[in-house]
Amino acid sequence: MKVVDQITDDLQTDVTWNRVGTITAKGARALPLGTKHYLLDKVPIVGWLPKYDLRWIVNDVIAGLTLGLLLIPQSLSYAKIATIPVEYGLQSSWLPATLYTFMGSTKDLSTGPTSLIGLMTSNVVSSLKPQGYSPQAVASAVAMCMGIMGMAIGFLNLGFLLEFISEPILAGFITAVALTIGLGQVSALLGEENVTASHAAGQIRQILRQLPQANGYACAVGFAGLLFLVLLEQSGKRWANQETMLSRIIWFFSITRAFMCLLLFTGVSYAVNKHRGKHTLFDIVQLKYSGISAPEVPSATLIGKAFPGAIPAFIGGILEHVAIARAFGVKNNYVSDQTQEVTYFGVINFVNSFFHSMGVGGAMSRTSVNSMCKVKSPLSGLVTTAVILVCIFKLSGALYWIPKATLSAIIITAVAPLVRSPKEFYGFWKTSLADFISAMLAFWVCFFTTTYEGLAAAVGFNIVYVLLRQVFKPITQLGSTDQQKLSELQQSTMSASGLPDTLPDDVRIFRFHESFFFPNAYRLKTAILETIQTHHAPAYSTLHGAEAERNWSVHGERRVARLRKKAGIVDPSTLPPISIVVLDFTKVNHMDATAISHLHSLLKELRLYAGPGVEVRFVGVSKTIRERFERARFTLHDDPWLATDRDDTWTENVPRAYRNLSVAVQAPRRRSSAVLVEKNEKMEHIEEV
């Protein structure tokens, strides 16, 4: 009885049990509606298709056709990078676009084989091929592992785990991968046949040693292809902004240059090699394809062996995929759903693996072309799939004659833009030594060993660095004779108690309570934007029409509607605009390059939502953080209204630093149209992030 009484008493009085009960009851009440929202979020087409404007069909068909023509040579090329038969590149490409029509949260993103995933796959193929597995079987096992990891993270809404890969690591990793891919194609470009080294130093040595045995015909085809691709690319850049018919034709040839190159040199190859049998002037693909193979589940044993090597493929692929989706959402003024993109990434790779396909993900070059074609919705993916299926079933015979040197030329020009400039790495050096070291670790270890070891070394360094920062975090000692530090104490006290009695409706303060760096940068940026979208009206609601007419995407609207409902906002038309955003950095003692990148993104997205006149004001920026801003070239000016000598930029709407919250809130505004609304909105405006 005593035990029963003790348990009963604990259930009634214990704080932890009461909290568990409260959370359980709250979750049970929210379960039906939450389940509905969860399922709708996983199939975005249900939200946007009823809003589809039939006038958009022309743009979507043009974009779908263009992407299909671009995807044909790229899928063959990236299969070559993965060291699998090139026909499996085409087989990997027909389903992603169609599935993205139903599950995608952006209108621009183009998914399919990528150079990054191709290289990751080739590493696993080379390690497992000696055990008797076919390359395409290993590639499908890697794709299934990527799918399992993606679905686990996506369906459980664990996308925040991806934020532990900082931008410097990603920059070093992708640059090393791009250089490795390009180096791996030099032998085919030169017609050299015995370059078998698996690491960069060995490849360079073998390529130089075999230069006297290079195939002149292959060199001619390869370098002519490179010249053709570069000329079309530069012509497109030069004529892209012209409105004449000639410029539009040049622009179309520019964005489909890979397909045009493939078409031209395949024709040349057929003309010179069709009567030579096996003794061709240069190596050709010799593609033999009879359609889509029957679905087959990769063996469990092979999946277990491929899983460790699939981890860097998943990390690199999903980070690239999510970053592209996020970037084009901001560029074209709609909201992408990061968790849904991870879910799609997992589902497509899982399903695609049944068809002996390599892993797939978002590709920057194709997404850029899709955006330039003024695509209106993901419906264009159905047209892209149709183009790929026509190629598979009707044109595969013509693809037999593709020169390997031409595919190498296409690959080299495709990965060249992925190489980050030395200036960017020097920017990491100026911003933070830790960022620079992590970028260099990712680059050099990936380039000279394996991508898995490079990622592990860089991420491991970051983990150790973060832990050491917490262990050896310095403290500030204040003494009666230390006037400078005493002044800082007075500033801190003033900052904590200097708020006015009331805050204007169009002002919101965000107070940070921790360092601002790569593990939390995206979460904090998102929290700020969502708070503003919940409690403030967008500028375009009254200036440029209703919010629902701004773009095709409904994900952002639904998300904001839920947040407003949760906040008890019944009539959104009564919401005030946002004119001033105050960021309280008093407790921020560390920043890195990733956080500064997200600050740039925050400013851009704020101006898209609130208009170009919205002001961002910083408070409590320490000397260390100020130096970090300057080294990263993040423009932050002092408040000119309190300075004795105003600079020439005091009228510009740039981020400003203020002494304390009171000054930041009450300082004169730079927008002549700003209206101060004084209502009793006291501490509700202060959000802790």
Side-chain angles (χ1 to χ4, degrees):
M1 290 296 294
K2 290 184 178 181
V3 175
V4 175
D5 292 340
Q6 181 65 40
I7 293 175
T8 303
D9 183 65
D10 282 349
L11 291 175
Q12 293 175 348
T13 62
D14 184 78
V15 174
T16 303
W17 279 115
N18 287 335
R19 186 177 182 186
V20 169
T22 302
I23 294 174
T24 303
K26 185 178 179 180
R29 289 193 300 269
L31 183 61
L33 184 60
T35 302
K36 175 186 175 182
H37 289 160
Y38 178 85
L39 294 176
L40 288 176
D41 285 345
K42 298 308 175 189
V43 192
I45 191 174
V46 175
W48 62 259
L49 189 59
K51 290 185 160 189
Y52 191 85
D53 190 333
L54 290 178
R55 291 175 297 179
W56 296 348
I57 195 70
V58 175
N59 294 72
D60 285 343
V61 169
I62 292 174
L65 287 171
T66 305
L67 260 291
L69 296 178
L70 182 59
L71 192 53
I72 291 170
Q74 286 195 351
S75 62
L76 298 172
S77 302
Y78 298 155
K80 182 173 181 288
I81 294 175
T83 63
I84 63 176
V86 293
E87 58 264 29
Y88 290 100
L90 274 179
Q91 191 147 288
S92 305
S93 304
W94 66 273
L95 183 58
T98 292
L99 188 61
Y100 198 78
T101 300
F102 296 91
M103 294 188 66
S105 70
T106 82
K107 68 181 180 67
D108 299 292
L109 190 65
S110 171
T111 60
T114 71
S115 57
L116 184 64
I117 296 175
L119 181 66
M120 307 292 124
T121 302
S122 71
N123 294 335
V124 187
V125 170
S126 63
S127 64
L128 295 180
K129 189 176 179 181
Q131 300 182 30
Y133 295 107
S134 66
Q136 59 268 29
V138 176
S140 64
V142 171
M144 175 161 282
C145 295
M146 293 169 61
I148 292 171
M149 288 183 277
M151 289 191 298
I153 293 176
F155 284 121
L156 295 176
N157 292 342
L158 300 176
F160 66 90
L161 294 175
L162 300 176
E163 300 305 322
F164 285 90
I165 307 294
S166 66
E167 290 197 7
I169 290 179
L170 195 59
F173 169 70
I174 290 179
T175 300
V177 166
L179 291 175
T180 302
I181 291 171
L183 183 62
Q185 300 307 309
V186 172
S187 59
L189 194 71
L190 299 175
E192 299 176 353
E193 300 179 352
N194 297 315
V195 178
T196 58
S198 58
H199 52 85
Q203 287 180 342
I204 294 172
R205 189 184 307 113
Q206 291 182 359
I207 289 170
L208 295 176
R209 186 176 298 167
Q210 295 182 38
L211 272 180
Q213 290 80 43
N215 185 320
Y217 295 107
C219 290
V221 170
F223 283 101
L226 279 176
L227 181 62
F228 180 84
L229 291 166
V230 171
L231 287 176
L232 281 183
E233 180 183 15
Q234 296 303 316
S235 299
K237 290 180 179 179
R238 180 175 180 180
W239 295 86
N241 296 322
Q242 304 292 328
E243 296 297 331
T244 64
M245 180 60 68
L246 176 62
S247 66
R248 291 175 181 174
I249 294 174
I250 294 175
W251 173 80
F252 177 77
F253 275 90
S254 175
I255 64 175
T256 58
R257 58 187 177 274
F259 179 78
M260 298 300 174
C261 181
L262 191 75
L263 191 65
L264 173 63
F265 288 97
T266 299
V268 171
S269 175
Y270 176 75
V272 301
N273 291 318
K274 62 180 178 179
H275 299 305
R276 293 181 174 273
K278 296 182 179 180
H279 304 289
T280 56
L281 292 178
F282 42 79
D283 289 337
I284 58 176
V285 170
Q286 299 182 4
L287 184 147
K288 297 178 181 179
Y289 204 35
S290 58
I292 299 173
S293 58
E296 181 181 351
V297 181
S299 72
T301 303
L302 179 55
I303 291 174
K305 293 180 179 180
F307 199 88
I311 294 175
F314 169 74
I315 293 175
I318 191 58
L319 287 176
E320 181 182 39
H321 182 100
V322 170
I324 295 170
R326 189 188 303 164
F328 279 85
V330 173
K331 177 182 178 181
N332 293 323
N333 199 15
Y334 61 86
V335 179
S336 64
D337 185 348
Q338 175 171 297
T339 300
Q340 175 59 15
E341 290 300 321
V342 177
T343 305
Y344 163 79
F345 185 89
V347 171
I348 187 56
N349 279 292
F350 182 81
V351 175
N352 234 20
S353 66
F354 296 155
F355 298 95
H356 295 292
S357 300
M358 63 181 287
V360 297
M364 177 60 79
S365 59
R366 296 196 301 269
T367 302
S368 299
V369 169
N370 212 18
S371 179
M372 286 189 294
C373 290
K374 309 294 184 184
V375 66
K376 295 298 184 181
S377 78
L379 207 62
S380 62
L382 299 179
V383 182
T384 299
T385 294
V387 173
I388 300 299
L389 290 177
V390 169
C391 181
I392 289 175
F393 288 101
K394 298 296 183 181
L395 303 177
S396 57
L399 302 179
Y400 177 92
W401 301 98
I402 297 174
K404 289 185 177 180
T406 298
L407 287 184
S408 295
I410 293 172
I411 291 169
I412 291 172
T413 55
V415 301
L418 297 178
V419 178
R420 306 294 179 90
S421 67
K423 183 179 179 181
E424 183 170 348
F425 289 102
Y426 184 61
F428 295 145
W429 169 272
K430 291 178 69 66
T431 304
S432 167
L433 179 60
D435 285 337
F436 180 76
I437 293 174
S438 61
M440 290 296 98
L441 275 174
F443 174 76
W444 292 111
V445 178
C446 284
F447 189 66
F448 284 108
T449 58
T450 65
T451 52
Y452 180 82
E453 292 172 348
L455 274 179
V459 172
F461 169 79
N462 262 5
I463 292 173
V464 171
Y465 171 70
V466 170
L467 292 176
L468 290 177
R469 272 192 59 84
Q470 300 303 316
V471 172
F472 298 102
K473 185 176 179 180
I475 60 174
T476 301
Q477 297 185 21
L478 301 176
S480 59
T481 58
D482 194 338
Q483 295 297 325
Q484 184 177 0
K485 292 181 179 178
L486 184 62
S487 175
E488 290 178 0
L489 178 60
Q490 291 173 336
Q491 273 196 358
S492 178
T493 304
M494 184 178 180
S495 178
S497 60
L499 282 173
D501 293 335
T502 60
L503 288 175
D505 280 349
D506 59 348
V507 175
R508 190 158 292 270
I509 301 171
F510 295 91
R511 179 176 292 153
F512 291 71
H513 288 275
E514 55 198 11
S515 293
F516 189 30
F517 61 139
F518 71 91
N520 63 16
Y522 177 74
R523 177 180 61 83
L524 296 181
K525 184 202 79 170
T526 303
I528 292 171
L529 288 172
E530 288 186 346
T531 300
I532 290 172
Q533 291 166 350
T534 301
H535 297 282
H536 298 274
Y540 53 74
S541 286
T542 54
L543 295 178
H544 304 295
E547 189 170 341
E549 296 175 357
R550 291 285 292 169
N551 46 63
W552 69 276
S553 175
V554 297
H555 171 72
E557 296 173 25
R558 292 196 309 205
R559 174 70 175 163
V560 171
R562 292 176 201 165
L563 292 171
R564 288 174 178 171
K565 183 178 180 181
K566 186 177 180 181
I569 298 172
V570 179
D571 185 5
S573 64
T574 63
L575 293 176
I578 181 72
S579 300
I580 296 177
V581 176
V582 181
L583 304 180
D584 186 351
F585 267 44
T586 303
K587 295 185 179 180
V588 175
N589 55 39
H590 173 62
M591 283 188 69
D592 64 3
T594 304
I596 291 173
S597 174
H598 281 292
L599 268 183
H600 282 294
S601 177
L602 173 64
L603 293 178
K604 183 175 182 179
E605 293 183 52
L606 269 177
R607 287 164 182 162
L608 283 174
Y609 185 81
V614 63
E615 294 185 43
V616 178
R617 300 180 174 185
F618 287 79
V619 170
V621 180
S622 68
K623 182 179 179 181
T624 301
I625 299 300
R626 189 65 178 263
E627 290 174 353
R628 188 63 53 90
F629 278 148
E630 292 173 358
R631 285 152 50 191
R633 297 185 179 180
F634 181 87
T635 303
L636 183 64
H637 291 286
D638 289 318
D639 172 26
W641 299 97
L642 300 178
T644 54
D645 296 322
R646 297 180 184 176
D647 58 33
D648 294 334
T649 63
W650 71 273
T651 57
E652 295 180 8
N653 187 13
V654 295
R656 300 277 178 177
Y658 294 79
R659 291 185 303 171
N660 53 56
L661 286 176
S662 177
V663 176
V665 171
Q666 298 180 81
R669 307 186 179 206
R670 290 168 182 78
R671 280 204 300 172
S672 59
S673 61
V675 178
L676 298 181
V677 182
E678 297 185 0
K679 292 185 179 180
N680 293 325
E681 301 282 343
K682 298 182 180 179
M683 300 308 291
E684 298 85 23
H685 291 271
I686 300 180
E687 307 292 335
E688 296 185 356
V689 292

